[in-house]
Amino acid sequence: MLAKKPPKTLQQAIVYFADPDMALATMIRLRWPDGVIKCPTCGSQKVAFIRSRMVWECAEKHAKRQFSVKVGTIMEDSPIKLDKWLTAMWLIANAKNGISSYELARSIGVTQKSAWFMLHRIRLAMQGEDGGRLGGYVEVDETYIGGKARFMSGERKRRLSAKRPFGGKVPVMGLLQRAPEGGVSQVKTVVIAAHKRLKKAAMQSLVRERVDSGSTVNTDALKSYIGLDREYIHKVIDHAEAYAQGTVHTNGLENYWSLLKRMLHGTYVSVEPFHLFRYLDEQAFRFNMRKLSDFARFALTAGNVFGKRLTFNALTGNDLPQSC
Ligand SMILES: [Zn+2]
């Protein structure tokens, strides 16, 4: 019998998930971490596995007695097999610059339309990883993203927006918590709704909802941020004068905006403003989880399909079957 370890690379993941038993075992581990399979309709544990169809049948009398591991998840109404779903999750959780529906379609052999559907569903699972509020040293900055994902620097965008408000671009606020000792920096991004654009109270409530009071907040000299010092230690860097003064800067976010730009411009090319927040969340997920292994990022994504918090063993793959 061929021993199979939990996958570490894309190539191993494809081989691992291609085995229907391994793919199913992976999903069972993520969905029922205690190994007890329960009927999603009535919660009964009296279920029998029907191997030929890879479904269970509940012993209780009710509708929908038969269920697959996909029932009640983002995959429920999809005819696409588990191996393709799992490989797609691996790809999107780990592709640094994202993956387009065309690329995914070619990689796993589905139509572009199916790939588009899968990617949007998987992004839903990635959104579950919010990570809580930010604190300590936090940078706050905005950028503008257009249909072609063009980015402009602060001064230029302000000059232009005075003439033509936003020029059809979507304003996005970024909040970046600098890495604490031994940790990694964390980012949150939020699309600034049309009616809130640059309005002081609205901009500041976006910050308050996401950052603990008492934190040190670095912003540029935008008027919308005046008054943040009531709850925060507010440090201002006037970008017309300098990019940084000691620890007062928003360079962490500047770097993040360029990462985001590479993803949107290179992979997704044109993103509808309506869908923009999904791509923002996708990139924030990979950025915030960047120190984890590929398997752990995959498991976090796949685990969220069931809305499950994962144990350390689930994140390392240690409780997956090691051989078949
Ligand atoms: Zn039942």
Side-chain angles (χ1 to χ4, degrees):
M1 244 187 270
L2 192 64
K4 279 184 193 162
K5 289 192 175 125
K8 286 192 175 131
T9 65
L10 171 62
Q11 193 267 340
Q12 290 171 0
I14 291 168
V15 173
Y16 192 91
F17 299 141
D19 179 335
D21 288 330
M22 291 306 204
L24 186 66
T26 302
M27 294 319 267
I28 289 172
R29 274 294 170 197
L30 293 169
R31 180 162 198 172
W32 296 286
D34 55 6
V36 182
I37 292 154
K38 296 178 197 79
C39 168
T41 303
C42 72
S44 167
Q45 298 177 14
K46 281 188 272 170
V47 297
F49 189 54
I50 304 169
R51 227 200 120 68
S52 58
R53 296 183 45 231
M54 302 293 254
V55 297
W56 291 270
E57 187 171 86
C58 177
E60 305 298 330
K61 296 268 180 290
H62 57 67
K64 296 187 187 164
R65 285 172 63 201
Q66 291 195 354
F67 60 95
S68 76
V69 75
K70 288 174 170 176
V71 167
T73 75
I74 58 167
M75 303 172 283
E76 175 160 1
D77 47 5
S78 160
I80 292 161
K81 291 217 159 71
L82 269 186
D83 61 336
K84 295 193 178 194
W85 272 104
L86 293 173
T87 303
M89 288 177 201
W90 187 284
L91 283 166
I92 192 171
N94 294 314
K96 267 213 168 65
N97 290 320
I99 177 165
S100 72
S101 53
Y102 292 93
E103 212 178 328
L104 180 65
R106 280 197 307 273
S107 303
I108 64 171
V110 297
T111 64
Q112 184 265 333
K113 216 173 139 189
S114 297
W116 189 92
F117 166 88
M118 292 171 86
L119 285 172
H120 271 307
R121 291 287 177 98
I122 296 168
R123 282 189 193 103
L124 270 182
M126 294 170 97
Q127 273 167 30
E129 283 303 310
D130 182 58
R133 288 164 70 84
L134 305 178
Y137 282 85
V138 179
E139 301 175 13
V140 177
D141 190 27
E142 336 75 51
T143 196
Y144 291 76
I145 302 177
K148 287 190 171 171
R150 283 194 1 239
F151 284 61
M152 284 182 277
S153 66
E155 274 318 297
R156 200 169 145 237
K157 88 190 164 204
R158 254 164 248 159
R159 259 204 326 273
L160 266 181
S161 44
K163 275 189 239 153
R164 198 162 60 107
F166 311 115
K169 297 180 191 311
V170 180
V172 173
M173 179 186 280
L175 306 97
L176 179 136
Q177 173 183 297
R178 288 187 193 157
E181 191 75 25
V184 284
S185 55
Q186 296 286 300
V187 76
K188 286 180 192 292
T189 42
V190 54
V191 173
I192 305 173
H195 63 284
K196 290 184 176 172
R197 285 175 187 186
L198 298 189
K199 287 203 178 123
K200 196 163 151 179
M203 293 279 280
Q204 296 194 8
S205 71
L206 291 178
V207 177
R208 263 181 241 113
E209 283 157 19
R210 290 166 180 81
V211 183
D212 287 335
S213 64
S215 306
T216 300
V217 173
N218 289 353
T219 70
D220 63 11
L222 197 68
K223 281 202 187 79
S224 319
Y225 295 125
I226 296 170
L228 276 179
D229 58 358
R230 279 197 291 274
E231 280 153 288
Y232 301 105
I233 303 163
H234 186 201
K235 307 272 190 188
V236 176
I237 181 76
D238 188 344
H239 283 154
E241 289 169 14
Y243 280 106
Q245 280 173 331
T247 59
V248 185
H249 59 77
T250 55
N251 293 348
L253 264 178
E254 297 295 337
N255 290 338
Y256 185 74
W257 294 141
S258 62
L259 268 179
L260 186 64
K261 171 186 176 180
R262 260 204 303 275
M263 173 185 92
L264 288 173
H265 198 58
T267 306
Y268 296 120
V269 188
S270 141
V271 170
E272 294 293 326
F274 171 72
H275 287 302
L276 179 62
F277 73 99
R278 301 183 200 279
Y279 296 85
L280 294 178
D281 288 349
E282 176 195 331
Q283 187 64 358
F285 171 91
R286 278 190 302 259
F287 180 83
N288 293 339
M289 306 299 166
R290 66 196 180 278
K291 291 285 154 113
L292 298 180
S293 69
D294 284 14
F295 182 84
R297 264 189 306 275
F298 156 79
L300 273 174
T301 306
N304 270 340
V305 161
F306 309 115
K308 289 278 189 273
R309 293 248 143 239
L310 295 184
T311 62
F312 178 74
N313 272 347
L315 283 182
T316 53
N318 283 345
D319 56 6
L320 285 184
Q322 305 278 325
S323 61
C324 64

Coordinates of all heavy atoms in Angstrom, one line a residue, residues 216-245:
T216 N -1.8 53.5 19.0 CA -1.1 54.6 18.2 C -1.5 54.5 16.8 O -1.3 53.4 16.2 CB 0.4 54.5 18.4 OG1 0.7 54.6 19.8 CG2 1.1 55.6 17.6
V217 N -2.1 55.5 16.2 CA -2.6 55.5 14.9 C -1.9 56.5 14.0 O -1.9 57.7 14.3 CB -4.1 55.8 14.8 CG1 -4.6 55.9 13.3 CG2 -4.9 54.6 15.5
N218 N -1.2 56.0 13.0 CA -0.5 56.8 12.0 C -1.3 57.1 10.8 O -1.8 56.1 10.2 CB 0.8 56.2 11.6 CG 1.9 56.1 12.7 OD1 1.7 56.7 13.7 ND2 3.0 55.4 12.4
T219 N -1.5 58.3 10.4 CA -2.2 58.6 9.2 C -1.4 59.7 8.4 O -0.5 60.3 9.0 CB -3.6 59.2 9.4 OG1 -3.5 60.5 10.0 CG2 -4.4 58.3 10.3
D220 N -1.9 60.0 7.2 CA -1.3 61.1 6.5 C -2.1 62.4 7.0 O -3.0 62.3 7.9 CB -1.3 61.0 5.0 CG -2.7 60.8 4.4 OD1 -3.7 61.0 5.1 OD2 -2.8 60.4 3.2
A221 N -1.9 63.5 6.3 CA -2.4 64.8 6.9 C -3.9 65.0 6.4 O -4.4 66.2 6.5 CB -1.5 65.9 6.5
L222 N -4.5 64.0 5.9 CA -5.9 64.2 5.4 C -6.8 64.7 6.5 O -6.8 64.3 7.6 CB -6.4 62.8 5.0 CG -7.7 62.8 4.1 CD1 -7.3 63.3 2.7 CD2 -8.2 61.3 3.9
K223 N -7.6 65.7 6.1 CA -8.5 66.4 7.1 C -9.5 65.5 7.8 O -9.8 65.6 9.0 CB -9.3 67.5 6.4 CG -8.5 68.8 6.2 CD -9.5 70.0 6.0 CE -8.8 71.2 5.6 NZ -8.4 71.2 4.1
S224 N -9.9 64.4 7.1 CA -10.9 63.5 7.7 C -10.4 62.8 8.9 O -11.2 62.3 9.7 CB -11.2 62.4 6.7 OG -11.3 62.9 5.4
Y225 N -9.1 62.8 9.2 CA -8.5 62.1 10.3 C -8.3 63.1 11.5 O -8.0 62.6 12.6 CB -7.2 61.5 10.0 CG -7.3 60.4 9.0 CD1 -6.6 60.4 7.8 CD2 -8.2 59.3 9.2 CE1 -6.7 59.4 6.8 CE2 -8.4 58.3 8.2 CZ -7.6 58.4 7.1 OH -7.8 57.4 6.2
I226 N -8.6 64.4 11.4 CA -8.4 65.3 12.5 C -9.5 65.0 13.5 O -10.7 64.9 13.2 CB -8.5 66.8 12.0 CG1 -7.4 67.1 11.1 CG2 -8.5 67.7 13.2 CD1 -7.5 68.4 10.4
G227 N -9.1 64.7 14.8 CA -10.0 64.4 15.8 C -9.8 63.0 16.3 O -10.4 62.6 17.3
L228 N -9.1 62.2 15.6 CA -8.8 60.8 16.0 C -8.1 60.8 17.4 O -8.1 59.8 18.1 CB -7.9 60.1 15.0 CG -8.7 59.4 13.8 CD1 -7.7 58.7 12.9 CD2 -9.7 58.4 14.3
D229 N -7.4 61.9 17.7 CA -6.6 62.0 19.0 C -7.5 61.9 20.2 O -7.0 61.9 21.3 CB -5.7 63.2 19.0 CG -6.4 64.5 18.8 OD1 -7.7 64.5 18.7 OD2 -5.8 65.5 18.9
R230 N -8.8 62.0 20.0 CA -9.7 61.8 21.2 C -9.6 60.4 21.8 O -9.8 60.2 23.0 CB -11.1 62.2 20.9 CG -11.4 63.7 20.9 CD -12.9 64.0 21.0 NE -13.5 63.6 19.7 CZ -13.6 64.4 18.7 NH1 -13.1 65.6 18.7 NH2 -14.2 64.0 17.6
E231 N -9.4 59.4 20.9 CA -9.4 58.0 21.3 C -8.0 57.3 21.1 O -7.8 56.3 21.7 CB -10.4 57.2 20.6 CG -11.8 57.3 21.1 CD -12.8 57.1 20.0 OE1 -12.9 58.0 19.2 OE2 -13.4 56.0 20.1
Y232 N -7.2 58.0 20.3 CA -6.0 57.3 19.9 C -4.8 58.2 20.1 O -5.0 59.5 20.2 CB -6.0 56.9 18.4 CG -7.1 56.0 18.1 CD1 -8.3 56.4 17.4 CD2 -7.1 54.6 18.5 CE1 -9.3 55.5 17.1 CE2 -8.1 53.8 18.2 CZ -9.2 54.2 17.5 OH -10.3 53.4 17.2
I233 N -3.6 57.7 20.2 CA -2.4 58.5 20.1 C -2.2 58.7 18.6 O -1.8 57.8 17.8 CB -1.2 57.8 20.7 CG1 -1.5 57.5 22.1 CG2 0.0 58.7 20.6 CD1 -0.6 56.4 22.8
H234 N -2.6 59.9 18.1 CA -2.7 60.1 16.6 C -1.4 60.8 16.1 O -1.1 61.9 16.5 CB -3.9 61.0 16.3 CG -4.1 61.1 14.8 ND1 -4.9 62.2 14.3 CD2 -3.7 60.4 13.8 CE1 -4.9 62.1 13.0 NE2 -4.2 61.0 12.6
K235 N -0.7 60.1 15.3 CA 0.6 60.6 14.7 C 0.3 60.9 13.2 O -0.2 60.0 12.5 CB 1.7 59.6 14.8 CG 1.9 59.2 16.2 CD 2.9 60.1 17.0 CE 3.3 59.4 18.3 NZ 4.0 60.4 19.1
V236 N 0.7 62.1 12.8 CA 0.4 62.5 11.4 C 1.7 62.7 10.6 O 2.6 63.3 11.1 CB -0.4 63.8 11.4 CG1 -0.6 64.3 9.9 CG2 -1.7 63.6 12.1
I237 N 1.8 62.0 9.4 CA 2.9 62.3 8.5 C 2.4 63.0 7.3 O 1.4 62.6 6.7 CB 3.6 61.0 8.1 CG1 4.8 61.3 7.2 CG2 2.7 60.0 7.5 CD1 6.0 61.8 7.9
D238 N 2.9 64.2 7.1 CA 2.4 65.0 6.0 C 3.2 64.6 4.8 O 4.4 65.0 4.6 CB 2.6 66.5 6.3 CG 1.9 67.4 5.2 OD1 1.6 66.9 4.1 OD2 1.7 68.6 5.5
H239 N 2.6 63.9 3.9 CA 3.3 63.4 2.7 C 3.8 64.4 1.8 O 4.6 64.2 0.9 CB 2.4 62.3 2.0 CG 2.4 61.0 2.7 ND1 1.4 60.1 2.6 CD2 3.3 60.4 3.6 CE1 1.6 59.1 3.3 NE2 2.7 59.2 3.9
A240 N 3.3 65.7 1.9 CA 3.8 66.8 1.1 C 5.2 67.1 1.6 O 6.0 67.7 0.8 CB 2.9 68.0 1.2
E241 N 5.5 66.8 2.8 CA 6.8 67.1 3.4 C 7.8 66.0 3.4 O 9.0 66.1 3.1 CB 6.7 67.7 4.8 CG 6.0 69.1 4.9 CD 5.6 69.5 6.3 OE1 6.0 68.8 7.2 OE2 4.8 70.4 6.4
A242 N 7.3 64.8 3.9 CA 8.3 63.7 4.0 C 7.4 62.4 4.0 O 6.2 62.4 4.2 CB 9.0 63.8 5.3
Y243 N 8.1 61.2 3.7 CA 7.4 60.0 3.7 C 7.4 59.3 5.1 O 6.6 58.5 5.5 CB 8.0 59.0 2.7 CG 7.5 59.3 1.3 CD1 8.3 59.9 0.4 CD2 6.1 59.0 1.0 CE1 7.7 60.2 -0.9 CE2 5.6 59.3 -0.2 CZ 6.4 59.9 -1.2 OH 5.9 60.2 -2.4
A244 N 8.5 59.7 5.9 CA 8.6 59.1 7.2 C 9.3 60.1 8.1 O 10.2 60.8 7.7 CB 9.3 57.8 7.2
Q245 N 8.9 60.1 9.4 CA 9.7 60.8 10.4 C 9.8 59.8 11.6 O 8.8 59.6 12.3 CB 9.0 62.0 10.9 CG 9.3 63.2 9.9 CD 8.4 64.4 10.2 OE1 7.3 64.3 10.8 NE2 9.0 65.6 9.9

